[in-house]
Amino acid sequence: YFDYYRLCKSYNDLALLKNYEERKMGYGDGSGNVVYKNFMYFNYCGTSDMAKMDLSSNTLVLWRLLPGATYNNRFSYAGVPWKDLDFAGDEKGLWVLYATEESKGNLVVSRLNASTLEVEKTWRTSQYKPALSGAFMACGVLYALHSLNTHQEEIFYAFDTTTGQERRLSILLDKMLEKLQGINYCPSDHKPYVFSDGYLINYDLTFLTMKTRLPRPPTRRPSGAHAPPKPVKPNEASRP
């Protein structure tokens, strides 16, 4: 159950577990919650309901059924039990990632009205949710991960909700320990944050739309020769 939560004033306070306020709620399920515009969104315990809490008053202000969504640990991510509804917030709005019986366990993405929790639009992907270690939204694009080994994850799949196009990727992310309990993108600093067995890690990545290409750096290489791409590496790791 998701019974308690802590509010920290900064990332450093979170990493050092200081200057926080702990609150009890008592009716959350799983670890798929997200904070978006001073409200926290989560899966209401034992149901396929979405819930909205006002963080300023620690008050449940709204809950609504997510049509067709499975719950009670049905189609959760690999190695992460009870994460039936996985909420996300980015520059394009509030999202929920989940699976349905109709999708046969494949990941489904819905954009939500943050005020009413009504589903505005839904997309279905080709990825089986229990085979993924996690997923997140950035700039309206869904990114999915799977585990390569005990110390490395791969962002291997992207689905652009603007164009409906899906794409294979290979972005490697180092992790401190084997399990990845959660990954979320923060639109204020444009970084993904990962929680891995007690370690909180952020990654210095640049997110672009699928039609955008990074400018090619100046080079004096002979005609026809190209510089190899730079590897993506995490820039910070800290243990609470």
Side-chain angles (χ1 to χ4, degrees):
Y1 296 107
F2 172 35
D3 288 335
Y4 293 86
Y5 66 95
R6 292 174 176 175
L7 293 178
C8 299
K9 295 181 179 180
S10 69
Y11 174 78
N12 287 335
D13 285 346
L14 174 61
L16 297 174
L17 283 181
K18 67 177 186 177
N19 299 326
Y20 64 82
E21 180 183 352
E22 185 171 275
R23 296 178 178 178
K24 179 176 175 61
M25 49 185 292
Y27 33 71
D29 220 356
S31 58
N33 56 301
V34 75
V35 173
Y36 181 75
K37 296 185 177 179
N38 205 41
F39 290 90
M40 182 164 60
Y41 300 85
F42 58 93
N43 184 189
Y44 198 93
C45 181
T47 73
S48 58
D49 288 355
M50 303 172 288
K52 176 180 179 180
M53 172 174 283
D54 187 344
L55 291 178
S56 62
S57 60
N58 193 37
T59 303
L60 182 67
V61 295
L62 181 67
W63 66 93
R64 181 185 291 272
L65 176 71
L66 180 58
T70 57
Y71 61 99
N72 280 345
N73 205 31
R74 176 74 166 156
F75 299 131
S76 188
Y77 294 121
V80 188
W82 303 99
K83 202 167 185 177
D84 300 289
L85 306 189
D86 187 13
F87 291 87
D90 69 359
E91 296 85 352
K92 297 293 184 72
L94 178 67
W95 310 82
V96 61
L97 317 178
Y98 58 104
T100 67
E101 296 294 349
E102 182 182 2
S103 74
K104 296 180 174 59
N106 282 5
L107 191 63
V108 177
V109 183
S110 287
R111 187 178 64 229
L112 302 174
N113 182 306
S115 298
T116 66
L117 291 181
E118 292 179 339
V119 173
E120 295 181 339
K121 191 171 181 179
T122 296
W123 297 261
R124 291 173 175 80
T125 76
S126 60
Q127 298 304 308
Y128 186 55
K129 188 170 178 249
L132 309 176
S133 53
F136 64 98
M137 299 294 300
C139 308
V141 178
L142 166 77
Y143 295 91
L145 299 85
H146 59 195
S147 179
L148 295 181
N149 52 55
T150 57
H151 289 287
Q152 205 166 52
E153 294 280 328
E154 181 183 39
I155 301 176
F156 74 99
Y157 173 84
F159 181 90
D160 192 332
T161 60
T162 301
T163 64
Q165 295 179 343
E166 56 183 3
R167 178 181 174 183
R168 293 285 176 169
L169 305 172
S170 183
I171 301 174
L172 304 183
L173 303 178
D174 292 334
K175 55 186 177 180
M176 303 304 294
L177 291 174
E178 182 174 357
K179 290 185 180 179
L180 187 152
Q181 283 82 13
I183 180 167
N184 283 287
Y185 167 79
C186 179
S188 62
D189 63 9
H190 312 292
K191 292 181 181 180
Y193 288 79
V194 162
F195 185 75
S196 173
D197 279 335
Y199 286 89
L200 183 63
I201 312 165
N202 70 65
Y203 298 91
D204 191 9
L205 301 178
T206 300
F207 291 90
L208 305 171
T209 61
M210 287 189 174
K211 293 182 180 180
T212 305
R213 295 291 182 269
L214 283 170
R216 184 173 295 171
T219 179
R220 294 184 178 181
R221 291 172 176 270
S223 177
H226 301 283
K230 294 182 179 180
V232 177
K233 296 181 179 179
N235 73 329
E236 182 179 344
S238 57
R239 182 178 177 93

